[in-house]
């Protein structure tokens, strides 16, 4: 193929025409006020758009302004975020709303530096709010934009490397300078999400096809070169689903732990299990007669997990199952035990017993849902 040519002004026109004709109808595109834009951008980070839509609608209905979020309890915020994952985003948004109230009278600030000073607002989120809500010529670079630009300019260095990121931001800034910056940014994101997809990009339908160096060289699909990631570290835990009178005992994860602020069953990290225990327990060999008279090592760990929270309950000798859960940096293998207590402790801010209906009002992670299901509670 010949060297691609399309001046930046023509690329801009092509992108805006593409957006005008093809933009998906998403709830946050109907409301360009800074608060809905901020909420949607935080929710959409690392989460698929279709997953976000119902969460966004519920969240905005309950918290239509930063002030309404600032007044909410963390439990209520995490409860509405439950299932969306990456709960740190919700905590930071909550803090950000409080700061907007305290410092800016409840209005999201128009100034870029002020926006960048808010908790959880980095260069990407500041640029999205600035360009969409304030019509400021500020660029955004997310996963979709990175893919489009890396292919368009045939950038062959890995994502995450300083020189790659610098180049991507420079290319994005070059395009956003002009009228309709918010639509231009959204056009790039939309193109990455719907046309310039990770596999099998639809180059025939792409408004930038005649400018695309990656396509011309036949290397588009191999770009961008992925970030060098560390494999998640295997981590082995026991979790105890302790019940009494139809309620389950949960505690709030503390500062420094996984899932901080969310409610979950008592857990304890254990040594790596034997290979046979790493798969589903159903597939593990049956214990010998001799073994059945000895408590499995994990049952001791289950008792220790309960003791660590001061709960006394009778732990079943064999686990109910094992669940696996992958986080960005850890792969969790959780052996789930069931325990029955005569009574559960008096509730306080850190521990409480919930019936099934009450679990809907507080933040619990997907992992906790899996553990409760494995333990026969939900
Ligand atoms: S031509 Fe193909 S590879 Fe290049 S930006 Fe368009 S969809 Fe992506």
């Amino acid at each position: 193929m010949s060297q691609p040519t399309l001046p930046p002004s023509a690329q801009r026109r092509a992108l805006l025409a593409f957006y005008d004709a093809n933009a998906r109808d998403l709830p946050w595109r109907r409301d360009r006020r800074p608060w809905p834009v901020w909420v949607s951008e935080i929710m959409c980070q690392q989460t698929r758009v279709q997953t976000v839509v119902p969460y966004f609608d519920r969240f905005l209905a309950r918290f239509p302004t930063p002030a309404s979020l600032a007044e909410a309890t963390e439990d209520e915020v995490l409860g509405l975020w439950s299932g969306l994952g990456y709960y740190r985003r919700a905590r930071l948004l909550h803090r950000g709303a409080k700061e907007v109230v305290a410092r800016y009278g409840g209005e999201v600030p128009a100034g870029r530096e002020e926006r960048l000073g808010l908790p959880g607002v980095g260069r990407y989120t500041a640029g999205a709010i600035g360009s969409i809500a304030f019509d400021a010529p500020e660029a955004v670079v997310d996963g979709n934009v990175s893919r489009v630009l890396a292919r368009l300019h045939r950038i062959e260095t890995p994502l995450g490397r300083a020189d790659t990121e610098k180049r991507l931001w420079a290319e994005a800034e070059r395009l956003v300078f002009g009228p309709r910056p918010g639509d231009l940014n959204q056009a790039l994101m939309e193109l990455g999400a719907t046309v310039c997809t990770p596999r099998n990009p639809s180059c025939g339908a792409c408004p930038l096809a005649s400018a695309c160096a990656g396509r011309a060289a036949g290397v588009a699909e191999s770009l961008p070169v992925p970030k060098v990631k560390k494999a998640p570290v295997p981590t082995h835990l026991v979790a105890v689903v302790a019940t009494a009178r139809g309620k389950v005992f949960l505690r709030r994860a503390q500062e420094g732990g996984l899932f901080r602020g969310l409610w979950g069953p008592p857990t304890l990290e254990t040594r790596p299990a034997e290979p046979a225990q790493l798969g589903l327990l159903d597939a593990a060999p049956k214990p010998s007669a001799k073994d059945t008279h000895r408590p499995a090592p994990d049952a001791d760990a289950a008792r220790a997990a309960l003791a660590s929270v001061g709960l006394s309950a009778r732990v079943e000798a064999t686990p109910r199952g094992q669940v696996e859960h992958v986080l960005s940096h850890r792969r969790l293998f959780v052996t789930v035990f069931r325990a029955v207590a005569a009574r559960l402790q008096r509730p306080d801010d850190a521990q409480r017993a919930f019936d099934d209906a009450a679990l809907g009002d507080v933040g619990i992670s997907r992992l906790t849902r899996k553990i409760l299901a494995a333990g026969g509670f939900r």
Side-chain angles (χ1 to χ4, degrees):
M1 269 188 212
S2 60
Q3 191 64 26
T5 53
L6 195 63
S9 57
Q11 291 180 26
R12 282 181 44 81
R13 277 197 301 279
L15 280 166
L16 289 169
F18 164 80
Y19 187 68
D20 289 341
N22 298 288
R24 288 168 294 175
D25 179 28
L26 298 170
W28 47 89
R29 287 186 175 155
R30 297 175 213 137
D31 187 344
R32 287 178 166 244
R33 287 174 304 136
W35 176 238
V37 173
W38 185 2
V39 172
S40 71
E41 292 299 339
I42 298 294
M43 283 189 167
C44 285
Q45 286 168 20
Q46 292 158 303
T47 307
R48 290 173 57 243
V49 159
Q50 291 315 324
T51 305
V52 167
V53 169
Y55 282 90
F56 175 84
D57 286 340
R58 279 196 298 269
F59 202 86
L60 257 286
R62 171 63 189 87
F63 305 122
T65 60
S68 54
L69 179 61
E71 285 169 7
T73 63
E74 186 169 286
D75 264 347
E76 192 182 3
V77 177
L78 294 176
L80 276 173
W81 207 274
S82 276
L84 202 54
Y86 299 98
Y87 296 91
R88 187 164 178 269
R89 297 179 300 177
R91 287 191 293 270
L92 287 170
L93 186 61
H94 194 197
R95 275 178 48 203
K98 288 179 180 176
E99 196 152 324
V100 161
V101 170
R103 296 180 60 187
Y104 304 110
E107 298 293 330
V108 180
R112 180 174 168 79
E113 291 312 312
E114 286 78 12
R115 271 181 272 127
L116 279 168
L118 295 170
V121 176
R123 196 174 177 186
Y124 168 83
T125 308
I129 299 170
S131 61
I132 297 169
F134 296 111
D135 248 355
E138 298 178 29
V140 297
V141 175
D142 68 351
N144 284 323
V145 175
S146 294
R147 185 165 56 256
V148 172
L149 295 177
R151 289 171 174 175
L152 183 64
H153 299 286
R154 196 180 167 185
I155 298 172
E156 294 181 301
T157 49
L159 293 177
R161 221 170 77 174
D163 56 345
T164 311
E165 297 305 312
K166 192 173 171 190
R167 173 92 191 273
L168 289 170
W169 278 95
E171 297 295 356
E173 276 159 10
R174 202 165 56 89
L175 279 174
V176 81
F177 194 75
R180 300 180 63 191
D183 288 348
L184 192 287
N185 281 336
Q186 292 190 89
L188 274 173
M189 292 193 266
E190 193 77 355
L191 187 66
T194 62
V195 175
C196 192
T197 46
R199 276 179 288 283
N200 300 320
S202 306
C203 299
C206 178
L208 302 179
S210 64
C212 184
R215 182 184 187 225
V219 296
E221 203 171 334
S222 67
L223 297 175
V225 176
K227 193 175 190 168
V228 183
K229 276 194 196 159
K230 284 189 195 158
V233 178
T235 303
H236 300 265
L237 304 153
V238 291
V240 189
V241 177
T243 58
R245 298 192 194 100
K247 292 187 173 184
V248 66
F249 172 85
L250 301 181
R251 61 193 307 268
R252 196 199 293 270
Q254 301 299 308
E255 189 86 35
L258 294 172
F259 304 110
R260 180 165 64 85
L262 300 182
W263 294 86
T267 56
L268 192 75
E269 192 166 338
T270 62
R271 283 179 295 121
E274 296 298 320
Q277 290 175 289
L278 292 180
L280 290 171
L281 287 168
D282 289 344
K286 285 198 164 43
S288 69
K290 195 170 128 218
D291 288 338
T292 55
H293 295 295
R294 285 199 323 219
D298 283 350
D300 284 341
R303 289 186 194 97
L306 287 182
S308 73
V309 296
L311 185 64
S312 163
R314 186 169 45 79
V315 177
E316 292 180 357
T318 50
R320 290 289 185 112
Q322 190 176 57
V323 298
E324 191 178 329
H325 193 77
V326 183
L327 302 169
S328 53
H329 56 301
R330 295 216 215 184
R331 181 180 290 270
L332 307 178
F333 298 94
V334 186
T335 303
V336 181
F337 281 83
R338 180 84 189 235
V340 179
R343 59 188 168 76
L344 298 170
Q345 291 141 311
R346 193 179 306 166
D348 60 29
D349 195 47
Q351 50 193 23
R352 206 186 303 168
F354 295 85
D355 60 23
D356 195 41
L359 286 175
D361 298 331
V362 293
I364 60 172
S365 66
R366 278 210 186 116
L367 174 59
T368 290
R369 289 176 208 276
K370 289 193 227 174
I371 290 171
L372 294 181
F377 186 73
R378 293 197 97 187

